[in-house]
Coordinates of all heavy atoms in Angstrom, one line a residue:
M37 N -5.8 9.1 -11.4 CA -4.4 9.7 -10.9 C -3.6 8.5 -10.4 O -4.2 7.7 -9.6 CB -4.6 10.7 -9.8 CG -5.4 11.9 -10.2 SD -5.9 13.0 -8.8 CE -4.4 13.6 -8.2
L38 N -2.3 8.5 -10.9 CA -1.6 7.4 -10.3 C -0.5 7.7 -9.4 O 0.0 9.0 -9.4 CB -0.8 6.7 -11.6 CG -1.6 6.1 -12.6 CD1 -0.7 5.7 -13.9 CD2 -2.2 4.9 -12.1
F39 N -0.3 7.0 -8.3 CA 0.5 7.2 -7.2 C 1.5 6.2 -7.0 O 1.1 4.9 -6.9 CB -0.2 7.6 -5.9 CG -1.0 8.9 -6.0 CD1 -2.3 8.9 -6.4 CD2 -0.4 10.0 -5.6 CE1 -3.0 9.9 -6.5 CE2 -1.2 11.3 -5.7 CZ -2.6 11.1 -6.0
H40 N 2.8 6.3 -6.8 CA 3.7 5.3 -6.4 C 3.8 5.4 -4.8 O 3.9 6.6 -4.3 CB 5.2 5.6 -6.9 CG 6.1 4.7 -6.5 ND1 6.8 5.0 -5.3 CD2 6.8 3.7 -7.0 CE1 7.8 4.1 -5.1 NE2 7.8 3.3 -6.0
V41 N 3.6 4.4 -4.1 CA 3.5 4.4 -2.8 C 4.5 3.3 -2.2 O 4.5 2.1 -2.7 CB 2.0 4.1 -2.3 CG1 2.0 4.0 -0.6 CG2 1.1 5.2 -2.8
R42 N 5.3 3.7 -1.3 CA 6.2 2.9 -0.7 C 5.7 2.7 0.9 O 5.6 3.7 1.5 CB 7.7 3.3 -0.6 CG 8.6 2.4 -0.1 CD 9.9 3.0 -0.1 NE 11.1 1.9 0.0 CZ 11.4 1.4 1.0 NH1 10.8 1.5 2.2 NH2 12.4 0.4 1.1
M43 N 5.5 1.4 1.4 CA 5.1 1.3 2.7 C 6.2 0.4 3.4 O 6.5 -0.7 3.0 CB 3.8 0.5 2.7 CG 2.7 1.1 2.0 SD 1.2 0.1 1.9 CE 0.4 0.5 0.4
Q44 N 6.5 1.0 4.5 CA 7.5 0.1 5.3 C 6.8 -0.2 6.6 O 6.2 0.7 7.2 CB 8.7 1.2 5.6 CG 9.9 0.6 6.6 CD 10.9 -0.1 5.7 OE1 11.2 0.4 4.6 NE2 11.4 -1.3 6.1
V45 N 6.9 -1.5 6.9 CA 6.1 -2.0 8.1 C 7.0 -2.2 9.2 O 8.0 -2.8 9.1 CB 5.3 -3.3 7.7 CG1 4.4 -3.7 8.8 CG2 4.6 -3.1 6.3
T46 N 6.5 -1.6 10.4 CA 7.3 -1.9 11.6 C 6.2 -2.3 12.7 O 5.5 -1.5 13.2 CB 8.2 -0.8 12.1 OG1 9.0 -0.3 11.0 CG2 9.0 -1.1 13.2
I47 N 6.2 -3.7 12.9 CA 5.2 -4.2 13.9 C 6.1 -4.3 15.2 O 7.2 -5.0 15.2 CB 4.7 -5.6 13.5 CG1 3.7 -5.3 12.3 CG2 3.9 -6.1 14.7 CD1 3.1 -6.5 11.7
P48 N 5.7 -3.7 16.3 CA 6.4 -3.7 17.5 C 6.6 -5.1 18.0 O 5.6 -6.0 18.0 CB 5.6 -3.0 18.6 CG 4.5 -2.3 17.8 CD 4.3 -2.9 16.5
D49 N 7.7 -5.4 18.5 CA 8.1 -6.8 19.0 C 7.1 -7.1 20.2 O 6.8 -8.4 20.3 CB 9.5 -6.8 19.7 CG 10.6 -6.7 18.5 OD1 10.2 -7.1 17.3 OD2 11.7 -6.4 18.9
S50 N 6.6 -6.1 20.9 CA 5.7 -6.3 22.0 C 4.4 -6.8 21.6 O 3.5 -7.2 22.4 CB 5.6 -5.1 22.8 OG 5.1 -4.0 22.0
M51 N 4.0 -6.8 20.4 CA 2.6 -7.1 20.0 C 2.5 -8.5 20.0 O 3.3 -9.3 19.3 CB 2.3 -6.5 18.4 CG 0.9 -6.7 18.0 SD 0.5 -6.3 16.5 CE 0.7 -4.5 16.4
P52 N 1.4 -9.0 20.6 CA 1.1 -10.5 20.5 C 1.0 -11.1 19.2 O 0.4 -10.4 18.2 CB -0.2 -10.6 21.4 CG -0.4 -9.4 22.2 CD 0.4 -8.3 21.4
T53 N 1.5 -12.3 19.0 CA 1.5 -12.8 17.6 C 0.1 -13.0 17.0 O 0.0 -12.7 15.8 CB 2.0 -14.3 17.8 OG1 3.4 -14.2 18.4 CG2 2.3 -14.9 16.4
E54 N -0.8 -13.2 17.9 CA -2.3 -13.5 17.3 C -2.7 -12.0 16.8 O -3.4 -12.1 15.9 CB -3.1 -14.0 18.4 CG -2.8 -15.1 19.2 CD -1.8 -14.9 20.2 OE1 -2.0 -14.0 21.2 OE2 -0.6 -15.4 20.3
R55 N -2.4 -11.0 17.6 CA -2.9 -9.8 17.0 C -2.2 -9.3 15.7 O -2.8 -8.9 14.8 CB -2.5 -8.6 18.1 CG -3.0 -7.2 17.6 CD -3.5 -6.3 18.6 NE -4.0 -5.0 18.0 CZ -3.3 -4.0 18.1 NH1 -2.2 -3.8 18.8 NH2 -3.7 -2.9 17.4
A56 N -1.0 -9.7 15.6 CA -0.2 -9.4 14.5 C -0.6 -10.1 13.3 O -0.9 -9.6 12.1 CB 1.4 -9.5 14.7
D57 N -1.1 -11.4 13.5 CA -1.4 -12.1 12.4 C -2.8 -11.8 12.0 O -3.1 -11.9 10.7 CB -1.6 -13.7 12.9 CG -0.2 -14.4 13.1 OD1 0.8 -13.7 12.6 OD2 -0.1 -15.4 13.7
L58 N -3.7 -11.3 12.9 CA -5.0 -10.9 12.6 C -4.9 -9.6 11.6 O -5.6 -9.5 10.6 CB -5.9 -10.6 13.8 CG -7.3 -10.2 13.5 CD1 -8.0 -11.2 12.7 CD2 -7.9 -9.8 14.7
L59 N -4.1 -8.7 12.0 CA -3.8 -7.5 11.3 C -3.4 -7.8 10.0 O -3.7 -7.2 8.8 CB -2.7 -6.4 12.0 CG -3.3 -5.7 13.3 CD1 -2.0 -5.1 13.9 CD2 -4.3 -4.8 12.8
K60 N -2.4 -8.7 9.9 CA -1.9 -9.1 8.5 C -3.0 -9.7 7.6 O -3.0 -9.4 6.4 CB -0.6 -10.0 8.6 CG 0.5 -9.4 9.2 CD 1.7 -10.5 9.4 CE 2.8 -9.9 10.3 NZ 3.7 -10.9 10.6
S61 N -3.7 -10.6 8.3 CA -4.8 -11.2 7.5 C -5.9 -10.2 6.9 O -6.3 -10.3 5.9 CB -5.3 -12.5 8.4 OG -6.6 -12.5 8.3
N62 N -6.2 -9.3 7.8 CA -7.2 -8.3 7.5 C -6.6 -7.3 6.4 O -7.3 -6.8 5.5 CB -7.5 -7.5 8.8 CG -8.4 -8.1 9.7 OD1 -9.0 -9.2 9.2 ND2 -8.5 -7.7 11.0
E63 N -5.2 -7.1 6.5 CA -4.6 -6.3 5.5 C -4.6 -7.0 4.1 O -4.9 -6.3 3.2 CB -3.1 -6.1 6.0 CG -2.3 -5.2 4.9 CD -2.3 -3.8 5.3 OE1 -2.8 -3.3 6.3 OE2 -1.9 -3.1 4.4
K64 N -4.4 -8.2 4.2 CA -4.3 -8.9 3.0 C -5.8 -9.0 2.3 O -5.9 -8.8 1.1 CB -3.9 -10.4 3.2 CG -3.8 -11.3 2.0 CD -3.2 -12.6 2.1 CE -3.0 -13.4 0.9 NZ -2.4 -14.7 1.0
A65 N -6.8 -9.2 3.1 CA -8.1 -9.2 2.5 C -8.5 -7.9 1.9 O -9.0 -7.8 0.8 CB -9.1 -9.4 3.7
L66 N -8.2 -6.9 2.6 CA -8.5 -5.4 2.1 C -7.6 -5.2 0.7 O -8.1 -4.7 -0.3 CB -8.3 -4.3 3.2 CG -8.7 -3.0 2.5 CD1 -10.0 -2.9 2.1 CD2 -8.5 -2.1 3.9
A67 N -6.3 -5.6 0.7 CA -5.5 -5.5 -0.4 C -6.1 -6.2 -1.6 O -6.0 -5.7 -2.7 CB -4.1 -5.9 0.0
L68 N -6.5 -7.3 -1.4 CA -7.1 -8.2 -2.4 C -8.3 -7.5 -3.1 O -8.5 -7.3 -4.2 CB -7.4 -9.5 -2.0 CG -6.2 -10.4 -1.7 CD1 -6.7 -11.8 -1.1 CD2 -5.4 -10.9 -2.9
T69 N -9.2 -7.0 -2.3 CA -10.4 -6.3 -2.6 C -10.0 -5.2 -3.5 O -10.6 -4.8 -4.5 CB -11.3 -5.8 -1.4 OG1 -11.6 -7.0 -0.6 CG2 -12.5 -5.1 -1.9
L70 N -9.1 -4.2 -2.9 CA -8.7 -3.1 -3.7 C -8.0 -3.4 -5.0 O -8.1 -2.6 -5.9 CB -7.7 -2.2 -2.8 CG -8.4 -1.6 -1.6 CD1 -7.5 -0.9 -0.7 CD2 -9.5 -0.5 -2.1
Q71 N -7.3 -4.4 -5.0 CA -6.6 -4.9 -6.4 C -7.7 -5.3 -7.3 O -7.7 -4.9 -8.4 CB -5.6 -6.1 -6.1 CG -4.3 -5.6 -5.4 CD -3.4 -6.7 -5.0 OE1 -2.7 -7.3 -5.9 NE2 -3.6 -7.2 -3.8
Q72 N -8.7 -6.1 -6.8 CA -9.7 -6.4 -7.7 C -10.5 -5.2 -8.2 O -11.2 -5.4 -9.3 CB -10.7 -7.4 -7.0 CG -10.2 -8.8 -6.9 CD -10.8 -9.6 -5.9 OE1 -11.6 -9.2 -5.0 NE2 -10.2 -10.9 -5.7
S73 N -10.6 -4.2 -7.4 CA -11.3 -3.0 -7.8 C -10.6 -2.1 -8.9 O -11.1 -1.2 -9.5 CB -11.8 -2.1 -6.7 OG -10.6 -1.4 -6.3
G74 N -9.2 -2.3 -8.9 CA -8.5 -1.8 -9.9 C -7.8 -0.6 -9.2 O -6.9 0.1 -9.9
K75 N -8.1 -0.2 -7.9 CA -7.5 0.9 -7.4 C -6.1 0.7 -6.9 O -5.2 1.5 -6.9 CB -8.4 1.3 -6.2 CG -9.8 1.8 -6.5 CD -10.4 2.8 -5.6 CE -11.7 3.3 -6.1 NZ -11.4 4.4 -7.1
W76 N -5.7 -0.7 -6.5 CA -4.4 -1.0 -6.1 C -3.8 -1.8 -7.3 O -4.0 -3.0 -7.4 CB -4.5 -1.8 -4.8 CG -3.2 -1.9 -4.1 CD1 -1.9 -2.0 -4.6 CD2 -2.9 -2.1 -2.8 NE1 -1.0 -2.0 -3.7 CE2 -1.6 -2.1 -2.5 CE3 -3.8 -2.2 -1.6 CZ2 -1.1 -2.3 -1.2 CZ3 -3.3 -2.3 -0.3 CH2 -2.1 -2.4 -0.2
R77 N -3.1 -1.0 -8.2 CA -2.7 -1.6 -9.5 C -1.6 -2.6 -9.4 O -1.6 -3.5 -10.1 CB -2.4 -0.4 -10.4 CG -3.4 0.3 -11.0 CD -3.6 0.0 -12.6 NE -4.2 1.0 -13.2 CZ -3.6 1.8 -14.2 NH1 -2.4 1.5 -14.6 NH2 -4.2 2.9 -14.7
H78 N -0.5 -2.3 -8.5 CA 0.6 -3.1 -8.5 C 1.0 -3.2 -7.1 O 0.8 -2.2 -6.2 CB 1.7 -2.5 -9.2 CG 1.7 -2.5 -10.6 ND1 2.1 -3.6 -11.5 CD2 1.2 -1.5 -11.4 CE1 1.8 -3.3 -12.7 NE2 1.4 -2.1 -12.7
L79 N 1.4 -4.4 -6.7 CA 2.0 -4.5 -5.2 C 3.1 -5.4 -5.2 O 2.9 -6.6 -5.7 CB 0.8 -5.2 -4.3 CG 1.1 -5.7 -2.9 CD1 1.7 -4.6 -2.2 CD2 -0.1 -6.3 -2.3
W80 N 4.3 -4.9 -4.9 CA 5.5 -5.6 -5.1 C 6.3 -5.6 -3.7 O 6.3 -4.6 -3.0 CB 6.4 -4.9 -6.0 CG 6.0 -5.0 -7.4 CD1 5.2 -4.1 -8.0 CD2 6.1 -6.1 -8.3 NE1 4.9 -4.5 -9.2 CE2 5.5 -5.8 -9.5 CE3 6.9 -7.3 -8.3 CZ2 5.5 -6.6 -10.6 CZ3 6.9 -8.2 -9.4 CH2 6.2 -7.8 -10.6
R81 N 6.8 -6.7 -3.2 CA 7.6 -6.8 -2.1 C 9.0 -6.1 -2.3 O 9.4 -6.4 -3.5 CB 7.9 -8.3 -1.6 CG 8.8 -8.5 -0.5 CD 8.3 -7.9 0.8 NE 7.1 -8.6 1.5 CZ 6.2 -7.9 2.0 NH1 6.2 -6.7 2.2 NH2 5.2 -8.5 2.7
V82 N 9.6 -5.4 -1.5 CA 10.9 -5.0 -1.5 C 11.9 -5.9 -1.1 O 11.6 -6.3 0.1 CB 11.1 -3.6 -0.7 CG1 12.6 -3.1 -0.9 CG2 10.2 -2.5 -1.2
V83 N 12.8 -6.4 -1.9 CA 13.7 -7.6 -1.6 C 14.4 -7.3 -0.2 O 14.9 -6.1 -0.1 CB 14.6 -7.9 -2.7 CG1 15.5 -8.9 -2.3 CG2 13.8 -8.3 -3.9
G84 N 14.3 -8.1 0.7 CA 15.1 -8.0 1.9 C 14.5 -7.2 3.1 O 15.1 -6.9 3.9
Q85 N 13.4 -6.6 2.7 CA 12.7 -5.6 3.7 C 11.2 -6.0 3.9 O 10.6 -6.5 3.0 CB 12.8 -4.2 3.1 CG 14.2 -3.8 3.0 CD 14.2 -2.3 2.5 OE1 13.4 -1.4 2.9 NE2 15.2 -1.9 1.9
Y86 N 10.7 -5.7 5.2 CA 9.4 -5.8 5.4 C 8.7 -4.5 4.8 O 8.4 -3.5 5.6 CB 9.0 -6.0 6.9 CG 7.6 -6.2 7.2 CD1 6.7 -6.6 6.2 CD2 7.2 -6.5 8.5 CE1 5.3 -7.0 6.3 CE2 5.9 -7.0 8.7 CZ 4.9 -7.1 7.7 OH 3.7 -7.4 8.0
A87 N 8.7 -4.4 3.5 CA 8.2 -3.1 2.8 C 7.6 -3.6 1.5 O 8.0 -4.6 0.9 CB 9.4 -2.2 2.6
N88 N 6.8 -2.6 1.0 CA 6.4 -2.9 -0.4 C 6.4 -1.6 -1.1 O 6.3 -0.5 -0.6 CB 4.8 -3.5 -0.3 CG 3.9 -2.6 0.1 OD1 3.5 -1.8 -0.7 ND2 3.3 -2.8 1.2
V89 N 6.4 -1.8 -2.5 CA 6.1 -0.6 -3.4 C 4.9 -0.9 -4.1 O 4.7 -2.1 -4.6 CB 7.4 -0.2 -4.3 CG1 8.4 0.2 -3.5 CG2 7.7 -1.4 -5.2
S90 N 4.0 0.0 -4.3 CA 2.8 -0.2 -4.9 C 2.4 1.0 -5.8 O 3.0 2.1 -5.7 CB 1.6 -0.2 -3.9 OG 1.7 -1.3 -3.0
V91 N 1.5 0.6 -6.8 CA 0.9 1.9 -7.6 C -0.6 1.7 -7.3 O -1.2 0.8 -7.6 CB 1.2 1.6 -9.0 CG1 0.6 2.6 -9.9 CG2 2.8 1.6 -9.4
F92 N -1.1 2.9 -6.9 CA -2.5 3.1 -6.8 C -3.1 4.0 -7.9 O -2.4 4.9 -8.4 CB -2.9 3.8 -5.5 CG -2.6 2.9 -4.3 CD1 -1.4 2.7 -3.7 CD2 -3.8 2.2 -3.8 CE1 -1.2 1.8 -2.6 CE2 -3.6 1.2 -2.6 CZ -2.4 1.2 -2.1
D93 N -4.2 3.7 -8.3 CA -5.1 4.5 -9.4 C -6.4 4.9 -8.7 O -7.3 4.2 -8.5 CB -5.3 3.6 -10.5 CG -5.9 4.5 -11.7 OD1 -6.2 5.6 -11.6 OD2 -6.1 3.8 -12.8
V94 N -6.4 6.2 -8.3 CA -7.4 6.8 -7.5 C -8.0 8.2 -8.1 O -7.2 8.6 -9.0 CB -7.1 6.9 -6.0 CG1 -6.9 5.5 -5.4 CG2 -5.9 7.8 -5.8
D95 N -9.0 8.7 -7.6 CA -9.4 9.9 -8.2 C -8.8 11.1 -7.6 O -8.9 12.3 -8.3 CB -11.1 10.0 -8.0 CG -11.6 8.9 -8.9 OD1 -11.1 8.5 -10.0 OD2 -12.8 8.4 -8.5
S96 N -8.3 11.1 -6.5 CA -7.9 12.4 -5.8 C -6.8 11.9 -4.7 O -6.8 10.9 -4.3 CB -9.1 13.1 -5.1 OG -9.6 12.3 -4.2
N97 N -6.2 13.0 -4.2 CA -5.3 12.9 -3.1 C -6.1 12.4 -1.9 O -5.6 11.5 -1.2 CB -4.6 14.3 -2.8 CG -3.7 14.8 -3.7 OD1 -3.5 14.1 -4.8 ND2 -3.0 15.8 -3.5
D98 N -7.2 13.0 -1.7 CA -8.1 12.7 -0.5 C -8.6 11.2 -0.6 O -8.6 10.5 0.5 CB -9.4 13.6 -0.6 CG -9.0 14.9 -0.1 OD1 -8.0 15.2 0.5 OD2 -9.9 15.8 -0.4
E99 N -8.8 10.6 -1.7 CA -9.2 9.3 -1.9 C -8.1 8.4 -1.5 O -8.1 7.3 -0.7 CB -9.7 8.9 -3.2 CG -10.1 7.4 -3.2 CD -10.6 6.9 -4.7 OE1 -10.4 7.6 -5.7 OE2 -11.1 5.8 -4.7
L100 N -6.8 8.7 -1.9 CA -5.6 8.0 -1.6 C -5.5 7.9 -0.1 O -5.2 7.0 0.6 CB -4.4 8.5 -2.3 CG -3.1 7.5 -2.0 CD1 -3.3 6.0 -2.6 CD2 -1.9 8.2 -2.6
H101 N -5.6 9.1 0.5 CA -5.3 9.3 2.0 C -6.3 8.4 2.7 O -6.0 7.7 3.8 CB -5.4 10.7 2.4 CG -5.0 10.9 3.9 ND1 -3.8 10.8 4.3 CD2 -5.9 11.0 4.9 CE1 -3.8 10.9 5.7 NE2 -5.1 11.0 6.1
Q102 N -7.6 8.5 2.3 CA -8.6 7.7 2.9 C -8.3 6.3 2.9 O -8.4 5.6 3.9 CB -9.9 8.1 2.3 CG -11.2 7.7 3.1 CD -11.5 6.2 2.8 OE1 -11.2 5.7 1.8 NE2 -12.3 5.5 3.8
L103 N -7.8 5.8 1.7 CA -7.6 4.4 1.5 C -6.5 3.9 2.3 O -6.5 3.0 3.0 CB -7.4 4.2 0.0 CG -7.4 2.9 -0.7 CD1 -7.7 3.2 -2.2 CD2 -6.1 2.3 -0.5
L104 N -5.4 4.7 2.2 CA -4.3 4.2 3.0 C -4.4 4.3 4.4 O -4.0 3.5 5.3 CB -3.0 5.1 2.8 CG -2.5 5.1 1.2 CD1 -1.3 6.1 1.1 CD2 -1.9 3.7 1.0
S105 N -5.1 5.4 4.9 CA -5.2 5.5 6.4 C -6.3 4.5 7.0 O -6.4 4.2 8.2 CB -5.7 6.7 6.8 OG -7.0 7.2 6.1
T106 N -7.0 3.7 6.1 CA -7.9 2.6 6.6 C -7.2 1.2 6.6 O -7.9 0.3 6.9 CB -9.3 2.6 5.9 OG1 -9.0 2.7 4.6 CG2 -9.9 4.0 6.3
L107 N -5.9 1.2 6.1 CA -5.4 0.0 6.0 C -5.1 -0.6 7.5 O -4.7 0.1 8.4 CB -4.0 0.0 5.4 CG -4.1 0.3 3.8 CD1 -2.8 0.4 3.2 CD2 -4.8 -0.8 3.0
P108 N -5.4 -1.9 7.7 CA -5.2 -2.4 9.2 C -3.8 -2.1 9.7 O -3.5 -1.9 10.8 CB -5.6 -3.8 9.0 CG -6.5 -3.8 7.9 CD -6.1 -2.9 6.9
L109 N -2.8 -2.2 8.9 CA -1.4 -1.9 9.3 C -1.0 -0.4 9.3 O 0.1 -0.2 9.6 CB -0.4 -2.8 8.4 CG -0.4 -4.3 8.7 CD1 0.4 -5.1 7.7 CD2 0.0 -4.6 10.1
Y110 N -2.0 0.4 8.9 CA -1.5 1.8 8.7 C -0.8 2.4 10.0 O 0.2 3.1 9.9 CB -2.8 2.7 8.5 CG -2.5 4.2 8.4 CD1 -1.9 4.6 7.2 CD2 -2.8 5.0 9.4 CE1 -1.8 6.1 7.2 CE2 -2.7 6.4 9.3 CZ -2.0 6.8 8.1 OH -1.9 8.3 8.1
P111 N -1.2 2.1 11.2 CA -0.5 2.6 12.4 C 1.0 2.2 12.5 O 1.6 2.7 13.3 CB -1.4 2.1 13.7 CG -2.6 1.7 13.0 CD -2.3 1.2 11.6
F112 N 1.3 1.1 11.8 CA 2.6 0.5 11.9 C 3.3 0.6 10.6 O 4.4 -0.1 10.4 CB 2.4 -1.1 12.3 CG 1.5 -1.1 13.5 CD1 0.2 -1.6 13.3 CD2 2.0 -0.8 14.7 CE1 -0.6 -1.7 14.4 CE2 1.1 -1.0 15.9 CZ -0.1 -1.4 15.7
M113 N 2.8 1.5 9.8 CA 3.7 1.8 8.5 C 4.2 3.2 8.4 O 3.5 4.2 8.8 CB 2.7 1.5 7.3 CG 2.3 0.1 7.2 SD 1.6 -0.4 5.7 CE 0.1 0.5 5.6
Q114 N 5.3 3.3 7.7 CA 5.8 4.6 7.3 C 5.6 4.5 5.9 O 5.9 3.7 5.1 CB 7.3 4.6 7.6 CG 7.7 6.0 8.1 CD 9.3 6.0 8.3 OE1 9.9 5.1 8.2 NE2 9.6 7.3 8.6
I115 N 4.9 5.7 5.3 CA 4.3 5.6 3.9 C 5.0 6.8 3.2 O 4.9 8.0 3.8 CB 2.8 5.7 3.9 CG1 2.2 4.4 4.6 CG2 2.3 5.7 2.5 CD1 0.7 4.4 4.7
E116 N 5.5 6.5 2.0 CA 6.0 7.7 1.1 C 5.2 7.7 -0.2 O 5.1 6.5 -0.8 CB 7.5 7.5 0.9 CG 8.4 7.7 2.0 CD 9.9 7.2 1.7 OE1 10.2 6.9 0.6 OE2 10.4 6.9 2.7
V117 N 4.6 8.7 -0.4 CA 3.8 8.9 -1.6 C 4.3 9.7 -2.7 O 4.8 10.9 -2.5 CB 2.3 9.4 -1.3 CG1 1.6 9.6 -2.6 CG2 1.7 8.5 -0.3
T118 N 4.4 9.3 -3.9 CA 5.0 10.0 -5.2 C 3.9 10.0 -6.2 O 3.6 9.1 -6.7 CB 6.2 9.5 -5.6 OG1 7.1 9.2 -4.5 CG2 6.9 10.3 -6.6
P119 N 3.4 11.3 -6.3 CA 2.3 11.4 -7.6 C 3.1 11.1 -9.0 O 4.3 11.4 -9.1 CB 1.9 12.7 -7.6 CG 2.4 13.5 -6.2 CD 3.6 12.5 -5.8
L120 N 2.4 10.3 -9.8 CA 3.0 10.2 -11.1 C 2.3 10.8 -12.3 O 1.2 11.0 -12.2 CB 2.9 8.6 -11.4 CG 3.6 7.6 -10.3 CD1 3.4 6.2 -10.5 CD2 5.2 8.0 -10.2
A121 N 3.2 11.0 -13.4 CA 2.6 11.6 -14.6 C 3.1 10.8 -15.7 O 4.0 10.0 -15.5 CB 3.1 13.1 -14.8
Q122 N 2.6 11.0 -16.8 CA 2.9 10.3 -18.0 C 4.3 10.7 -18.5 O 4.7 12.0 -18.3 CB 2.0 10.5 -19.3 CG 0.5 10.0 -19.1 CD 0.6 8.5 -18.9 OE1 1.4 7.8 -19.6 NE2 -0.4 8.0 -18.1
H123 N 5.2 9.8 -18.8 CA 6.4 10.0 -19.5 C 6.4 10.1 -20.9 O 5.7 9.2 -21.6 CB 7.5 9.0 -19.0 CG 9.0 9.5 -19.2 ND1 9.4 9.7 -20.5 CD2 9.9 9.9 -18.3 CE1 10.6 10.1 -20.4 NE2 11.0 10.2 -19.1
P124 N 6.9 11.2 -21.6 CA 6.7 11.3 -22.9 C 7.4 10.2 -23.8 O 7.0 9.9 -24.9 CB 7.4 12.6 -23.3 CG 8.2 12.9 -22.2 CD 7.6 12.3 -21.0
S125 N 8.3 9.5 -23.3 CA 9.0 8.4 -23.9 C 8.5 7.1 -23.6 O 8.9 6.0 -24.1 CB 10.4 8.4 -23.6 OG 11.0 9.7 -24.0
A126 N 7.4 7.0 -22.8 CA 6.9 5.6 -22.4 C 6.2 5.1 -23.6 O 5.6 5.9 -24.5 CB 5.8 5.8 -21.3
L127 N 6.3 3.8 -23.8 CA 5.8 3.0 -24.8 C 4.3 3.2 -25.0 O 3.7 3.3 -26.0 CB 6.2 1.7 -24.8 CG 6.4 0.8 -26.1 CD1 7.3 1.6 -27.0 CD2 7.0 -0.5 -25.7
A128 N 3.6 3.0 -23.9 CA 2.2 3.0 -23.9 C 1.7 3.9 -22.6 O 2.5 4.1 -21.6 CB 1.6 1.7 -23.6
A129 N 0.5 4.5 -22.8 CA 0.0 5.3 -21.8 C -0.6 4.2 -20.7 O -1.1 3.2 -21.1 CB -1.2 6.1 -22.3
N130 N -0.4 4.6 -19.5 CA -0.8 3.7 -18.5 C -2.0 4.3 -17.7 O -2.4 3.9 -16.8 CB 0.4 3.6 -17.4 CG 1.5 2.8 -18.0 OD1 1.4 1.7 -18.5 ND2 2.7 3.5 -18.0
Ligands
LIG474 O1 3.2 -6.8 3.9 C1 3.2 -5.7 3.5 O2 4.0 -5.1 2.7 C2 2.0 -5.0 4.0 C3 0.9 -5.3 3.1 C4 0.2 -4.4 2.2 C5 -0.8 -5.1 1.6 C6 -0.7 -6.5 2.3 O3 -1.4 -7.4 2.1 O4 0.3 -6.4 3.2

């Protein structure tokens, strides 16, 4: 199952830099692992925003929720999820 996911990150100004840097570095490590596993298919920066758009390939809504909610930056993200289906005019099945 494919899902388009938009994550908007808001780290409070009050958070110490070292804590923010650790969260970002842990987030990156997990994101790399999930990309290597094939579950996090695409990861794009939204130009001009501290936000990304991603495509996840997971087995269920529950798996996506579990995965997103364990991201280190999860408490500081606003997440919008859109389930995807094949488009009949798409050149190739994804
Ligand atoms: O910077 C972001 O958009 C949040 C994020 C998701 C994966 C990652 O490494 O950073």
Side-chain angles (χ1 to χ4, degrees):
M37 300 167 71
L38 295 174
F39 294 88
H40 174 277
V41 178
R42 186 182 200 284
M43 304 178 212
Q44 181 89 38
V45 187
T46 309
I47 295 180
D49 292 341
S50 59
M51 185 183 291
T53 309
E54 310 78 55
R55 172 145 189 255
D57 287 348
L58 183 62
L59 283 172
K60 289 177 196 174
S61 139
N62 290 342
E63 179 90 10
K64 181 173 184 174
L66 184 51
L68 291 173
T69 300
L70 289 168
Q71 286 172 84
Q72 282 157 358
S73 79
K75 294 205 175 284
W76 197 328
R77 284 250 209 119
H78 292 271
L79 171 57
W80 295 93
R81 175 63 75 219
V82 177
V83 174
Q85 295 184 34
Y86 191 4
N88 71 73
V89 290
S90 293
V91 174
F92 285 85
D93 187 354
V94 291
D95 292 334
S96 65
N97 292 3
D98 287 340
E99 183 184 8
L100 182 64
H101 183 76
Q102 192 277 335
L103 195 157
L104 293 175
S105 60
T106 52
L107 293 174
L109 286 173
Y110 178 76
F112 308 103
M113 292 196 291
Q114 221 179 349
I115 301 178
E116 292 168 16
V117 176
T118 308
L120 301 176
Q122 293 297 323
H123 194 290
S125 304
L127 211 49
N130 293 301

